[in-house]
PDB file of all heavy atoms in Angstrom:
ATOM      1  N   ASP G  13       0.871  -1.169   0.000  1.00 97.00           N
ATOM      2  CA  ASP G  13       0.000   0.000   0.000  1.00 97.00           C
ATOM      3  C   ASP G  13       0.910   1.222   0.000  1.00 97.00           C
ATOM      4  O   ASP G  13       2.143   1.107   0.042  1.00 97.00           O
ATOM      5  CB  ASP G  13      -0.950  -0.023   1.198  1.00 97.00           C
ATOM      6  CG  ASP G  13      -0.253   0.187   2.535  1.00 97.00           C
ATOM      7  OD1 ASP G  13       0.955  -0.129   2.649  1.00 97.00           O
ATOM      8  OD2 ASP G  13      -0.909   0.676   3.468  1.00 97.00           O
ATOM      9  N   ALA G  14       0.331   2.419  -0.070  1.00 96.00           N
ATOM     10  CA  ALA G  14       1.146   3.622  -0.207  1.00 96.00           C
ATOM     11  C   ALA G  14       2.100   3.814   0.973  1.00 96.00           C
ATOM     12  O   ALA G  14       3.277   4.169   0.800  1.00 96.00           O
ATOM     13  CB  ALA G  14       0.239   4.842  -0.359  1.00 96.00           C
ATOM     14  N   GLU G  15       1.601   3.585   2.183  1.00 96.00           N
ATOM     15  CA  GLU G  15       2.423   3.789   3.380  1.00 96.00           C
ATOM     16  C   GLU G  15       3.635   2.862   3.378  1.00 96.00           C
ATOM     17  O   GLU G  15       4.775   3.280   3.623  1.00 96.00           O
ATOM     18  CB  GLU G  15       1.575   3.559   4.630  1.00 96.00           C
ATOM     19  CG  GLU G  15       2.326   3.746   5.935  1.00 96.00           C
ATOM     20  CD  GLU G  15       1.464   3.468   7.150  1.00 96.00           C
ATOM     21  OE1 GLU G  15       0.298   3.052   6.976  1.00 96.00           O
ATOM     22  OE2 GLU G  15       1.957   3.672   8.277  1.00 96.00           O
ATOM     23  N   ASN G  16       3.395   1.587   3.090  1.00 97.00           N
ATOM     24  CA  ASN G  16       4.495   0.627   3.135  1.00 97.00           C
ATOM     25  C   ASN G  16       5.438   0.756   1.945  1.00 97.00           C
ATOM     26  O   ASN G  16       6.620   0.401   2.037  1.00 97.00           O
ATOM     27  CB  ASN G  16       3.940  -0.795   3.210  1.00 97.00           C
ATOM     28  CG  ASN G  16       3.478  -1.158   4.609  1.00 97.00           C
ATOM     29  OD1 ASN G  16       3.535  -0.328   5.503  1.00 97.00           O
ATOM     30  ND2 ASN G  16       3.018  -2.381   4.793  1.00 97.00           N
ATOM     31  N   PHE G  17       4.930   1.280   0.820  1.00 97.00           N
ATOM     32  CA  PHE G  17       5.808   1.460  -0.334  1.00 97.00           C
ATOM     33  C   PHE G  17       6.867   2.518  -0.037  1.00 97.00           C
ATOM     34  O   PHE G  17       7.992   2.448  -0.536  1.00 97.00           O
ATOM     35  CB  PHE G  17       4.999   1.858  -1.568  1.00 97.00           C
ATOM     36  CG  PHE G  17       5.805   1.894  -2.839  1.00 97.00           C
ATOM     37  CD1 PHE G  17       6.268   0.726  -3.424  1.00 97.00           C
ATOM     38  CD2 PHE G  17       6.107   3.113  -3.438  1.00 97.00           C
ATOM     39  CE1 PHE G  17       7.027   0.761  -4.593  1.00 97.00           C
ATOM     40  CE2 PHE G  17       6.855   3.165  -4.612  1.00 97.00           C
ATOM     41  CZ  PHE G  17       7.311   1.981  -5.194  1.00 97.00           C
ATOM     42  N   SER G  18       6.505   3.493   0.786  1.00 95.00           N
ATOM     43  CA  SER G  18       7.459   4.558   1.115  1.00 95.00           C
ATOM     44  C   SER G  18       8.670   4.030   1.867  1.00 95.00           C
ATOM     45  O   SER G  18       9.751   4.634   1.834  1.00 95.00           O
ATOM     46  CB  SER G  18       6.766   5.647   1.934  1.00 95.00           C
ATOM     47  OG  SER G  18       6.365   5.155   3.205  1.00 95.00           O
ATOM     48  N   THR G  19       8.520   2.899   2.540  1.00 96.00           N
ATOM     49  CA  THR G  19       9.634   2.294   3.279  1.00 96.00           C
ATOM     50  C   THR G  19      10.062   0.956   2.682  1.00 96.00           C
ATOM     51  O   THR G  19      10.911   0.267   3.243  1.00 96.00           O
ATOM     52  CB  THR G  19       9.243   2.073   4.752  1.00 96.00           C
ATOM     53  OG1 THR G  19       8.103   1.194   4.817  1.00 96.00           O
ATOM     54  CG2 THR G  19       8.901   3.387   5.419  1.00 96.00           C
ATOM     55  N   LEU G  20       9.434   0.593   1.546  1.00 96.00           N
ATOM     56  CA  LEU G  20       9.702  -0.692   0.873  1.00 96.00           C
ATOM     57  C   LEU G  20       9.535  -1.868   1.829  1.00 96.00           C
ATOM     58  O   LEU G  20      10.335  -2.805   1.857  1.00 96.00           O
ATOM     59  CB  LEU G  20      11.093  -0.704   0.239  1.00 96.00           C
ATOM     60  CG  LEU G  20      11.283   0.260  -0.948  1.00 96.00           C
ATOM     61  CD1 LEU G  20      12.678   0.110  -1.543  1.00 96.00           C
ATOM     62  CD2 LEU G  20      10.223   0.022  -2.026  1.00 96.00           C
ATOM     63  N   THR G  21       8.450  -1.775   2.612  1.00 97.00           N
ATOM     64  CA  THR G  21       8.071  -2.874   3.509  1.00 97.00           C
ATOM     65  C   THR G  21       6.840  -3.550   2.913  1.00 97.00           C
ATOM     66  O   THR G  21       5.727  -3.019   3.022  1.00 97.00           O
ATOM     67  CB  THR G  21       7.746  -2.355   4.918  1.00 97.00           C
ATOM     68  OG1 THR G  21       8.852  -1.603   5.415  1.00 97.00           O
ATOM     69  CG2 THR G  21       7.436  -3.507   5.858  1.00 97.00           C
ATOM     70  N   PRO G  22       6.991  -4.683   2.266  1.00 98.00           N
ATOM     71  CA  PRO G  22       5.861  -5.261   1.519  1.00 98.00           C
ATOM     72  C   PRO G  22       4.733  -5.748   2.420  1.00 98.00           C
ATOM     73  O   PRO G  22       4.966  -6.298   3.494  1.00 98.00           O
ATOM     74  CB  PRO G  22       6.498  -6.431   0.754  1.00 98.00           C
ATOM     75  CG  PRO G  22       7.733  -6.762   1.506  1.00 98.00           C
ATOM     76  CD  PRO G  22       8.215  -5.480   2.125  1.00 98.00           C
ATOM     77  N   ASN G  23       3.509  -5.529   1.958  1.00 98.00           N
ATOM     78  CA  ASN G  23       2.346  -6.152   2.592  1.00 98.00           C
ATOM     79  C   ASN G  23       2.283  -7.633   2.233  1.00 98.00           C
ATOM     80  O   ASN G  23       1.721  -8.431   2.987  1.00 98.00           O
ATOM     81  CB  ASN G  23       1.056  -5.481   2.121  1.00 98.00           C
ATOM     82  CG  ASN G  23       1.013  -4.003   2.455  1.00 98.00           C
ATOM     83  OD1 ASN G  23       1.750  -3.225   1.868  1.00 98.00           O
ATOM     84  ND2 ASN G  23       0.168  -3.609   3.403  1.00 98.00           N
ATOM     85  N   HIS G  24       2.844  -7.961   1.075  1.00 98.00           N
ATOM     86  CA  HIS G  24       2.869  -9.363   0.649  1.00 98.00           C
ATOM     87  C   HIS G  24       4.070  -9.580  -0.257  1.00 98.00           C
ATOM     88  O   HIS G  24       4.367  -8.750  -1.127  1.00 98.00           O
ATOM     89  CB  HIS G  24       1.599  -9.727  -0.110  1.00 98.00           C
ATOM     90  CG  HIS G  24       1.578 -11.147  -0.619  1.00 98.00           C
ATOM     91  ND1 HIS G  24       1.489 -12.234   0.221  1.00 98.00           N
ATOM     92  CD2 HIS G  24       1.643 -11.652  -1.883  1.00 98.00           C
ATOM     93  CE1 HIS G  24       1.475 -13.352  -0.496  1.00 98.00           C
ATOM     94  NE2 HIS G  24       1.576 -13.020  -1.770  1.00 98.00           N
ATOM     95  N   THR G  25       4.735 -10.697  -0.044  1.00 98.00           N
ATOM     96  CA  THR G  25       5.791 -11.152  -0.953  1.00 98.00           C
ATOM     97  C   THR G  25       5.376 -12.502  -1.503  1.00 98.00           C
ATOM     98  O   THR G  25       5.116 -13.437  -0.723  1.00 98.00           O
ATOM     99  CB  THR G  25       7.141 -11.272  -0.229  1.00 98.00           C
ATOM    100  OG1 THR G  25       7.505  -9.999   0.316  1.00 98.00           O
ATOM    101  CG2 THR G  25       8.221 -11.731  -1.203  1.00 98.00           C
ATOM    102  N   PHE G  26       5.276 -12.607  -2.809  1.00 98.00           N
ATOM    103  CA  PHE G  26       4.849 -13.874  -3.404  1.00 98.00           C
ATOM    104  C   PHE G  26       5.916 -14.927  -3.168  1.00 98.00           C
ATOM    105  O   PHE G  26       7.100 -14.709  -3.464  1.00 98.00           O
ATOM    106  CB  PHE G  26       4.592 -13.699  -4.902  1.00 98.00           C
ATOM    107  CG  PHE G  26       3.382 -12.851  -5.206  1.00 98.00           C
ATOM    108  CD1 PHE G  26       3.521 -11.500  -5.504  1.00 98.00           C
ATOM    109  CD2 PHE G  26       2.107 -13.397  -5.170  1.00 98.00           C
ATOM    110  CE1 PHE G  26       2.408 -10.711  -5.768  1.00 98.00           C
ATOM    111  CE2 PHE G  26       0.992 -12.619  -5.432  1.00 98.00           C
ATOM    112  CZ  PHE G  26       1.136 -11.265  -5.727  1.00 98.00           C
ATOM    113  N   PRO G  27       5.517 -16.071  -2.612  1.00 97.00           N
ATOM    114  CA  PRO G  27       6.505 -17.095  -2.249  1.00 97.00           C
ATOM    115  C   PRO G  27       7.118 -17.773  -3.459  1.00 97.00           C
ATOM    116  O   PRO G  27       6.654 -17.609  -4.599  1.00 97.00           O
ATOM    117  CB  PRO G  27       5.675 -18.080  -1.410  1.00 97.00           C
ATOM    118  CG  PRO G  27       4.275 -17.898  -1.884  1.00 97.00           C
ATOM    119  CD  PRO G  27       4.143 -16.455  -2.254  1.00 97.00           C
ATOM    120  N   ALA G  28       8.169 -18.533  -3.212  1.00 96.00           N
ATOM    121  CA  ALA G  28       8.834 -19.292  -4.271  1.00 96.00           C
ATOM    122  C   ALA G  28       7.832 -20.212  -4.975  1.00 96.00           C
ATOM    123  O   ALA G  28       6.871 -20.689  -4.357  1.00 96.00           O
ATOM    124  CB  ALA G  28       9.982 -20.105  -3.684  1.00 96.00           C
ATOM    125  N   ASN G  29       8.057 -20.403  -6.254  1.00 95.00           N
ATOM    126  CA  ASN G  29       7.224 -21.275  -7.095  1.00 95.00           C
ATOM    127  C   ASN G  29       5.801 -20.743  -7.287  1.00 95.00           C
ATOM    128  O   ASN G  29       4.862 -21.529  -7.475  1.00 95.00           O
ATOM    129  CB  ASN G  29       7.180 -22.691  -6.523  1.00 95.00           C
ATOM    130  CG  ASN G  29       8.554 -23.330  -6.435  1.00 95.00           C
ATOM    131  OD1 ASN G  29       9.336 -23.237  -7.370  1.00 95.00           O
ATOM    132  ND2 ASN G  29       8.851 -23.957  -5.307  1.00 95.00           N
ATOM    133  N   THR G  30       5.648 -19.419  -7.237  1.00 97.00           N
ATOM    134  CA  THR G  30       4.363 -18.811  -7.605  1.00 97.00           C
ATOM    135  C   THR G  30       4.359 -18.643  -9.119  1.00 97.00           C
ATOM    136  O   THR G  30       4.893 -17.659  -9.641  1.00 97.00           O
ATOM    137  CB  THR G  30       4.160 -17.456  -6.909  1.00 97.00           C
ATOM    138  OG1 THR G  30       4.160 -17.634  -5.488  1.00 97.00           O
ATOM    139  CG2 THR G  30       2.829 -16.844  -7.333  1.00 97.00           C
ATOM    140  N   ILE G  31       3.807 -19.605  -9.798  1.00 96.00           N
ATOM    141  CA  ILE G  31       3.782 -19.615 -11.267  1.00 96.00           C
ATOM    142  C   ILE G  31       2.350 -19.329 -11.726  1.00 96.00           C
ATOM    143  O   ILE G  31       1.433 -20.104 -11.430  1.00 96.00           O
ATOM    144  CB  ILE G  31       4.250 -20.963 -11.847  1.00 96.00           C
ATOM    145  CG1 ILE G  31       5.609 -21.354 -11.251  1.00 96.00           C
ATOM    146  CG2 ILE G  31       4.309 -20.886 -13.371  1.00 96.00           C
ATOM    147  CD1 ILE G  31       6.722 -20.395 -11.553  1.00 96.00           C
ATOM    148  N   LEU G  32       2.166 -18.232 -12.421  1.00 96.00           N
ATOM    149  CA  LEU G  32       0.850 -17.859 -12.933  1.00 96.00           C
ATOM    150  C   LEU G  32       0.806 -18.179 -14.411  1.00 96.00           C
ATOM    151  O   LEU G  32       1.523 -17.577 -15.212  1.00 96.00           O
ATOM    152  CB  LEU G  32       0.586 -16.374 -12.684  1.00 96.00           C
ATOM    153  CG  LEU G  32      -0.812 -15.857 -13.047  1.00 96.00           C
ATOM    154  CD1 LEU G  32      -1.897 -16.642 -12.305  1.00 96.00           C
ATOM    155  CD2 LEU G  32      -0.930 -14.370 -12.734  1.00 96.00           C
ATOM    156  N   GLU G  33      -0.035 -19.129 -14.782  1.00 93.00           N
ATOM    157  CA  GLU G  33      -0.110 -19.582 -16.162  1.00 93.00           C
ATOM    158  C   GLU G  33      -0.681 -18.495 -17.064  1.00 93.00           C
ATOM    159  O   GLU G  33      -1.387 -17.583 -16.614  1.00 93.00           O
ATOM    160  CB  GLU G  33      -0.961 -20.856 -16.260  1.00 93.00           C
ATOM    161  CG  GLU G  33      -0.400 -22.048 -15.510  1.00 93.00           C
ATOM    162  CD  GLU G  33       0.944 -22.513 -16.047  1.00 93.00           C
ATOM    163  OE1 GLU G  33       1.183 -22.351 -17.260  1.00 93.00           O
ATOM    164  OE2 GLU G  33       1.747 -23.030 -15.254  1.00 93.00           O
ATOM    165  N   ALA G  34      -0.385 -18.599 -18.341  1.00 88.00           N
ATOM    166  CA  ALA G  34      -0.854 -17.623 -19.327  1.00 88.00           C
ATOM    167  C   ALA G  34      -2.375 -17.537 -19.305  1.00 88.00           C
ATOM    168  O   ALA G  34      -3.070 -18.556 -19.331  1.00 88.00           O
ATOM    169  CB  ALA G  34      -0.375 -18.007 -20.723  1.00 88.00           C
ATOM    170  N   GLY G  35      -2.886 -16.312 -19.234  1.00 89.00           N
ATOM    171  CA  GLY G  35      -4.323 -16.090 -19.279  1.00 89.00           C
ATOM    172  C   GLY G  35      -5.055 -16.378 -17.981  1.00 89.00           C
ATOM    173  O   GLY G  35      -6.269 -16.167 -17.909  1.00 89.00           O
ATOM    174  N   LYS G  36      -4.343 -16.848 -16.964  1.00 95.00           N
ATOM    175  CA  LYS G  36      -4.985 -17.208 -15.703  1.00 95.00           C
ATOM    176  C   LYS G  36      -4.846 -16.072 -14.689  1.00 95.00           C
ATOM    177  O   LYS G  36      -4.137 -15.102 -14.892  1.00 95.00           O
ATOM    178  CB  LYS G  36      -4.384 -18.492 -15.140  1.00 95.00           C
ATOM    179  CG  LYS G  36      -4.540 -19.696 -16.064  1.00 95.00           C
ATOM    180  CD  LYS G  36      -6.005 -20.007 -16.345  1.00 95.00           C
ATOM    181  CE  LYS G  36      -6.163 -21.243 -17.202  1.00 95.00           C
ATOM    182  NZ  LYS G  36      -7.574 -21.547 -17.483  1.00 95.00           N
ATOM    183  N   CYS G  37      -5.569 -16.240 -13.574  1.00 97.00           N
ATOM    184  CA  CYS G  37      -5.553 -15.165 -12.588  1.00 97.00           C
ATOM    185  C   CYS G  37      -5.124 -15.670 -11.214  1.00 97.00           C
ATOM    186  O   CYS G  37      -5.186 -16.863 -10.915  1.00 97.00           O
ATOM    187  CB  CYS G  37      -6.909 -14.484 -12.514  1.00 97.00           C
ATOM    188  SG  CYS G  37      -8.150 -15.333 -11.532  1.00 97.00           S
ATOM    189  N   LEU G  38      -4.675 -14.722 -10.428  1.00 98.00           N
ATOM    190  CA  LEU G  38      -4.263 -14.951  -9.045  1.00 98.00           C
ATOM    191  C   LEU G  38      -5.084 -14.025  -8.162  1.00 98.00           C
ATOM    192  O   LEU G  38      -5.256 -12.845  -8.485  1.00 98.00           O
ATOM    193  CB  LEU G  38      -2.770 -14.680  -8.876  1.00 98.00           C
ATOM    194  CG  LEU G  38      -2.155 -14.838  -7.485  1.00 98.00           C
ATOM    195  CD1 LEU G  38      -0.695 -15.250  -7.607  1.00 98.00           C
ATOM    196  CD2 LEU G  38      -2.254 -13.561  -6.644  1.00 98.00           C
ATOM    197  N   VAL G  39      -5.592 -14.561  -7.058  1.00 98.00           N
ATOM    198  CA  VAL G  39      -6.333 -13.762  -6.089  1.00 98.00           C
ATOM    199  C   VAL G  39      -5.532 -13.717  -4.805  1.00 98.00           C
ATOM    200  O   VAL G  39      -5.159 -14.752  -4.252  1.00 98.00           O
ATOM    201  CB  VAL G  39      -7.737 -14.344  -5.818  1.00 98.00           C
ATOM    202  CG1 VAL G  39      -8.473 -13.483  -4.796  1.00 98.00           C
ATOM    203  CG2 VAL G  39      -8.539 -14.422  -7.108  1.00 98.00           C
ATOM    204  N   LEU G  40      -5.271 -12.510  -4.335  1.00 98.00           N
ATOM    205  CA  LEU G  40      -4.566 -12.309  -3.079  1.00 98.00           C
ATOM    206  C   LEU G  40      -5.526 -11.685  -2.079  1.00 98.00           C
ATOM    207  O   LEU G  40      -5.972 -10.549  -2.252  1.00 98.00           O
ATOM    208  CB  LEU G  40      -3.348 -11.405  -3.285  1.00 98.00           C
ATOM    209  CG  LEU G  40      -2.600 -10.994  -2.017  1.00 98.00           C
ATOM    210  CD1 LEU G  40      -1.997 -12.210  -1.321  1.00 98.00           C
ATOM    211  CD2 LEU G  40      -1.521  -9.955  -2.347  1.00 98.00           C
ATOM    212  N   PHE G  41      -5.859 -12.444  -1.026  1.00 98.00           N
ATOM    213  CA  PHE G  41      -6.697 -11.935   0.055  1.00 98.00           C
ATOM    214  C   PHE G  41      -5.820 -11.365   1.166  1.00 98.00           C
ATOM    215  O   PHE G  41      -4.653 -11.757   1.331  1.00 98.00           O
ATOM    216  CB  PHE G  41      -7.570 -13.048   0.640  1.00 98.00           C
ATOM    217  CG  PHE G  41      -8.681 -13.497  -0.266  1.00 98.00           C
ATOM    218  CD1 PHE G  41      -8.566 -14.670  -0.988  1.00 98.00           C
ATOM    219  CD2 PHE G  41      -9.841 -12.748  -0.393  1.00 98.00           C
ATOM    220  CE1 PHE G  41      -9.597 -15.099  -1.818  1.00 98.00           C
ATOM    221  CE2 PHE G  41     -10.879 -13.162  -1.217  1.00 98.00           C
ATOM    222  CZ  PHE G  41     -10.748 -14.332  -1.939  1.00 98.00           C
ATOM    223  N   GLY G  42      -6.419 -10.485   1.961  1.00 98.00           N
ATOM    224  CA  GLY G  42      -5.689  -9.945   3.098  1.00 98.00           C
ATOM    225  C   GLY G  42      -5.360 -11.007   4.127  1.00 98.00           C
ATOM    226  O   GLY G  42      -4.309 -10.971   4.763  1.00 98.00           O
ATOM    227  N   GLY G  43      -6.271 -11.964   4.306  1.00 97.00           N
ATOM    228  CA  GLY G  43      -6.039 -13.013   5.297  1.00 97.00           C
ATOM    229  C   GLY G  43      -7.205 -13.967   5.345  1.00 97.00           C
ATOM    230  O   GLY G  43      -7.913 -14.161   4.361  1.00 97.00           O
ATOM    231  N   GLY G  44      -7.417 -14.541   6.508  1.00 97.00           N
ATOM    232  CA  GLY G  44      -8.486 -15.522   6.675  1.00 97.00           C
ATOM    233  C   GLY G  44      -8.114 -16.873   6.083  1.00 97.00           C
ATOM    234  O   GLY G  44      -6.952 -17.160   5.794  1.00 97.00           O
ATOM    235  N   THR G  45      -9.149 -17.695   5.886  1.00 97.00           N
ATOM    236  CA  THR G  45      -8.967 -19.023   5.293  1.00 97.00           C
ATOM    237  C   THR G  45      -9.830 -19.102   4.052  1.00 97.00           C
ATOM    238  O   THR G  45     -11.001 -19.510   4.128  1.00 97.00           O
ATOM    239  CB  THR G  45      -9.365 -20.129   6.298  1.00 97.00           C
ATOM    240  OG1 THR G  45      -8.646 -19.953   7.521  1.00 97.00           O
ATOM    241  CG2 THR G  45      -9.068 -21.508   5.727  1.00 97.00           C
ATOM    242  N   PRO G  46      -9.327 -18.676   2.899  1.00 98.00           N
ATOM    243  CA  PRO G  46     -10.142 -18.678   1.679  1.00 98.00           C
ATOM    244  C   PRO G  46     -10.755 -20.048   1.423  1.00 98.00           C
ATOM    245  O   PRO G  46     -10.055 -21.069   1.428  1.00 98.00           O
ATOM    246  CB  PRO G  46      -9.144 -18.290   0.588  1.00 98.00           C
ATOM    247  CG  PRO G  46      -8.112 -17.483   1.311  1.00 98.00           C
ATOM    248  CD  PRO G  46      -7.982 -18.135   2.650  1.00 98.00           C
ATOM    249  N   THR G  47     -12.075 -20.052   1.240  1.00 98.00           N
ATOM    250  CA  THR G  47     -12.816 -21.293   1.092  1.00 98.00           C
ATOM    251  C   THR G  47     -13.669 -21.214  -0.164  1.00 98.00           C
ATOM    252  O   THR G  47     -14.510 -20.325  -0.297  1.00 98.00           O
ATOM    253  CB  THR G  47     -13.711 -21.539   2.318  1.00 98.00           C
ATOM    254  OG1 THR G  47     -12.899 -21.549   3.506  1.00 98.00           O
ATOM    255  CG2 THR G  47     -14.442 -22.864   2.191  1.00 98.00           C
ATOM    256  N   GLY G  48     -13.451 -22.152  -1.068  1.00 96.00           N
ATOM    257  CA  GLY G  48     -14.192 -22.158  -2.324  1.00 96.00           C
ATOM    258  C   GLY G  48     -13.264 -22.445  -3.486  1.00 96.00           C
ATOM    259  O   GLY G  48     -12.043 -22.567  -3.316  1.00 96.00           O
ATOM    260  N   SER G  49     -13.826 -22.541  -4.681  1.00 96.00           N
ATOM    261  CA  SER G  49     -13.018 -22.876  -5.851  1.00 96.00           C
ATOM    262  C   SER G  49     -12.392 -21.642  -6.495  1.00 96.00           C
ATOM    263  O   SER G  49     -11.341 -21.729  -7.130  1.00 96.00           O
ATOM    264  CB  SER G  49     -13.873 -23.596  -6.893  1.00 96.00           C
ATOM    265  OG  SER G  49     -14.897 -22.745  -7.380  1.00 96.00           O
ATOM    266  N   PHE G  50     -13.044 -20.484  -6.367  1.00 97.00           N
ATOM    267  CA  PHE G  50     -12.563 -19.234  -6.949  1.00 97.00           C
ATOM    268  C   PHE G  50     -12.187 -19.398  -8.416  1.00 97.00           C
ATOM    269  O   PHE G  50     -11.173 -18.871  -8.884  1.00 97.00           O
ATOM    270  CB  PHE G  50     -11.384 -18.681  -6.145  1.00 97.00           C
ATOM    271  CG  PHE G  50     -11.707 -18.409  -4.705  1.00 97.00           C
ATOM    272  CD1 PHE G  50     -11.258 -19.259  -3.702  1.00 97.00           C
ATOM    273  CD2 PHE G  50     -12.500 -17.317  -4.349  1.00 97.00           C
ATOM    274  CE1 PHE G  50     -11.572 -19.031  -2.373  1.00 97.00           C
ATOM    275  CE2 PHE G  50     -12.822 -17.075  -3.013  1.00 97.00           C
ATOM    276  CZ  PHE G  50     -12.360 -17.938  -2.019  1.00 97.00           C
ATOM    277  N   GLY G  51     -13.004 -20.171  -9.133  1.00 96.00           N
ATOM    278  CA  GLY G  51     -12.809 -20.349 -10.561  1.00 96.00           C
ATOM    279  C   GLY G  51     -11.534 -21.071 -10.939  1.00 96.00           C
ATOM    280  O   GLY G  51     -11.091 -20.994 -12.084  1.00 96.00           O
ATOM    281  N   GLY G  52     -10.931 -21.757  -9.987  1.00 96.00           N
ATOM    282  CA  GLY G  52      -9.668 -22.448 -10.277  1.00 96.00           C
ATOM    283  C   GLY G  52      -8.466 -21.523 -10.241  1.00 96.00           C
ATOM    284  O   GLY G  52      -7.373 -21.897 -10.683  1.00 96.00           O
ATOM    285  N   ALA G  53      -8.644 -20.316  -9.703  1.00 97.00           N
ATOM    286  CA  ALA G  53      -7.554 -19.346  -9.650  1.00 97.00           C
ATOM    287  C   ALA G  53      -6.484 -19.769  -8.649  1.00 97.00           C
ATOM    288  O   ALA G  53      -6.724 -20.573  -7.742  1.00 97.00           O
ATOM    289  CB  ALA G  53      -8.101 -17.970  -9.279  1.00 97.00           C
ATOM    290  N   LEU G  54      -5.304 -19.211  -8.812  1.00 98.00           N
ATOM    291  CA  LEU G  54      -4.254 -19.339  -7.820  1.00 98.00           C
ATOM    292  C   LEU G  54      -4.603 -18.396  -6.673  1.00 98.00           C
ATOM    293  O   LEU G  54      -4.819 -17.205  -6.898  1.00 98.00           O
ATOM    294  CB  LEU G  54      -2.910 -18.960  -8.451  1.00 98.00           C
ATOM    295  CG  LEU G  54      -1.639 -19.155  -7.637  1.00 98.00           C
ATOM    296  CD1 LEU G  54      -1.459 -20.627  -7.276  1.00 98.00           C
ATOM    297  CD2 LEU G  54      -0.441 -18.656  -8.447  1.00 98.00           C
ATOM    298  N   VAL G  55      -4.691 -18.910  -5.440  1.00 98.00           N
ATOM    299  CA  VAL G  55      -5.164 -18.117  -4.302  1.00 98.00           C
ATOM    300  C   VAL G  55      -4.086 -18.066  -3.226  1.00 98.00           C
ATOM    301  O   VAL G  55      -3.505 -19.095  -2.861  1.00 98.00           O
ATOM    302  CB  VAL G  55      -6.465 -18.702  -3.715  1.00 98.00           C
ATOM    303  CG1 VAL G  55      -6.909 -17.912  -2.490  1.00 98.00           C
ATOM    304  CG2 VAL G  55      -7.563 -18.713  -4.775  1.00 98.00           C
TER     305      VAL G  55
END
């Protein structure tokens, strides 16, 4: 977010082996336990 960008402190760092296939989508939630198929997206 804007505040953390000013100090380069990431709100999220994508972990190793985060591979997003061509034409596909990734959903990043703030937290919780995402439950559901989410269209087969990377979550």
